[in-house]
Amino acid sequence: MPELLEIVLKLAAVAAAFGVLPLLVGQAEHKVMAHMQGRLGPMYAGGFHGWAQLVADGVKFAQKEDVVPAAADRTVFKLAPAVAIVPYLLVLLVIPVGPDGQVVLDLGLGLFFALAVMGIGVIGAIMAGWSSANKYSLLGGMRIAAQLMSYELPMVFAASSAAMAAGTLSLSGIAEAWHWYWLPWQAIGLVVFFVAGLAELRRPPFDMPLADSEIILGPYTEYGGLRFAFFLLAEYAGIVVLSALTAVLFLGGWRGPFLDAELGWLWLLVKVFALAFIVIWLRVSYPRMREDQLQKLAWGWLVPLALAQLALTGVLRVVLG
């Protein structure tokens, strides 16, 4: 296959995954939350169990008027949704879905690239709060900035543990080097990385910056129509990316019990949706934390645990050679 055609097909596959997987996660959230709370959830849009509910929501958002506050910084206000959503698309380029180069962009510093780009996605929400000319939106943006600063450190430490264990910063290399017996001694890093990722995505119980019952969706208060829909899509895309990174770093990524080369993409999808189910489960199960509880969890628990995981990984790397 010509190299150019191969690149085009890979990019098309990533674009399709980016368009479909967040919608599947969103629909799963509707139905899983409904059943956990003893109700039906969407049942009518599209017929069978309301499978087209998110599509109908998208059509509804597209029909709404595009409003920009008079006092807002119009350029930053309009740019913020793109800054929030595009980085997650870029991260998918470095996620390996199988062995032997089954990845769009196999970077030697793939892990560093993914973490850095995910941080840019959070900046989109900060831009939205700052540019809205609304003090409540600004408050939500500042809360997001504080949350990002608190949880970026344990997330990077936990990811560094997986990179240290594999001896490479390449995501493909980490997946290749993974062994099932990593699970017990990398479990702390897995939990820290996943929890810190949830906090960076502002998912419950870490959704204080949004807190729709108190400050009306925080930095997104002044947004409507398609721009607001892009922020929602960014949230679900973030869940997919976080789940995929967690699977690659700590669960072997595309590696499964058999046929890794042929079914690697399927094993990765199974792990991604299993982790996405946990994200939804946590939303239903735990109430929103207070800001002081958020900071205490980050600095009092996750950072020390991540450092302990790094120390354990370093010792075992020396012992095991």
Side-chain angles (χ1 to χ4, degrees):
M1 181 183 296
E3 184 178 353
L4 179 59
L5 178 59
E6 181 180 356
I7 293 175
V8 171
L9 291 177
K10 285 183 176 180
L11 290 175
V14 168
F18 187 76
V20 173
L21 294 181
L23 294 181
L24 294 178
V25 172
Q27 179 66 13
E29 182 168 60
H30 283 162
K31 300 301 291 189
V32 170
M33 285 183 61
H35 287 290
M36 285 183 172
Q37 295 169 345
R39 53 190 177 84
L40 293 177
M43 290 296 291
Y44 298 104
F48 181 74
H49 284 269
W51 66 268
Q53 182 60 52
L54 285 181
V55 177
D57 288 342
V59 173
K60 175 190 70 176
F61 284 126
Q63 293 174 339
K64 290 188 174 182
E65 184 180 2
D66 181 20
V67 177
V68 179
D73 185 322
R74 299 181 67 88
T75 302
V76 178
F77 186 87
K78 292 180 178 181
L79 187 61
V83 175
I85 194 172
V86 170
Y88 295 120
L89 173 60
L90 298 179
V91 174
L92 288 182
L93 298 177
V94 297
I95 300 293
V97 297
D100 303 322
Q102 294 185 41
V103 59
V104 177
L105 192 60
D106 190 6
L107 294 178
L109 298 176
L111 177 58
F112 176 80
F113 174 84
L115 294 177
V117 171
M118 283 184 69
I120 295 174
V122 178
I123 293 176
I126 300 174
M127 292 169 57
W130 179 84
S131 65
S132 293
N134 180 314
K135 60 183 179 182
Y136 297 106
S137 297
L138 180 60
L139 176 62
M142 294 303 100
R143 285 187 173 187
I144 286 178
Q147 197 158 311
L148 169 65
M149 293 177 63
S150 299
Y151 282 87
E152 187 75 14
L153 191 60
M155 190 176 186
V156 170
F157 281 163
S160 300
S161 173
M164 183 187 298
T168 178
L169 285 171
S170 167
L171 292 175
S172 298
I174 293 173
E176 290 278 0
W178 185 87
H179 298 282
W180 65 267
Y181 55 78
W182 284 18
L183 286 173
W185 60 278
Q186 288 289 329
I188 297 175
L190 166 62
V191 173
V192 171
F193 184 85
F194 194 64
V195 171
L198 287 180
E200 289 208 358
L201 293 176
R202 287 90 63 199
R203 287 288 304 182
F206 306 104
D207 60 335
M208 292 76 67
L210 307 181
D212 53 319
S213 58
E214 290 93 18
I215 55 176
I216 324 172
L217 282 179
Y220 312 142
T221 300
E222 299 294 343
Y223 282 86
L226 278 177
R227 290 196 179 95
F228 181 73
F230 285 147
F231 281 117
L232 293 182
L233 182 60
E235 178 181 341
Y236 292 125
I239 294 174
V240 172
V241 168
L242 173 64
S243 300
L245 279 177
T246 305
V248 170
L249 293 175
F250 299 100
L251 300 176
W254 44 262
R255 306 188 69 163
F258 53 86
L259 296 178
D260 289 345
E262 295 80 6
L263 298 178
W265 61 272
L266 180 60
W267 300 129
L268 180 62
L269 275 182
V270 168
K271 295 171 185 178
V272 166
F273 279 100
L275 291 168
F277 174 80
I278 295 175
V279 174
I280 300 168
W281 191 358
L282 290 173
R283 175 175 181 174
V284 178
S285 303
Y286 289 92
R288 182 181 301 126
M289 300 174 69
R290 299 193 311 267
E291 191 66 29
D292 62 310
Q293 293 173 327
L294 173 90
Q295 299 295 337
K296 183 177 180 179
L297 176 64
W299 298 104
W301 288 96
L302 295 189
V303 170
L305 286 174
L307 290 173
Q309 177 67 78
L310 271 176
L312 176 63
T313 301
V315 170
L316 290 178
R317 279 287 294 175
V318 172
V319 171
L320 298 177

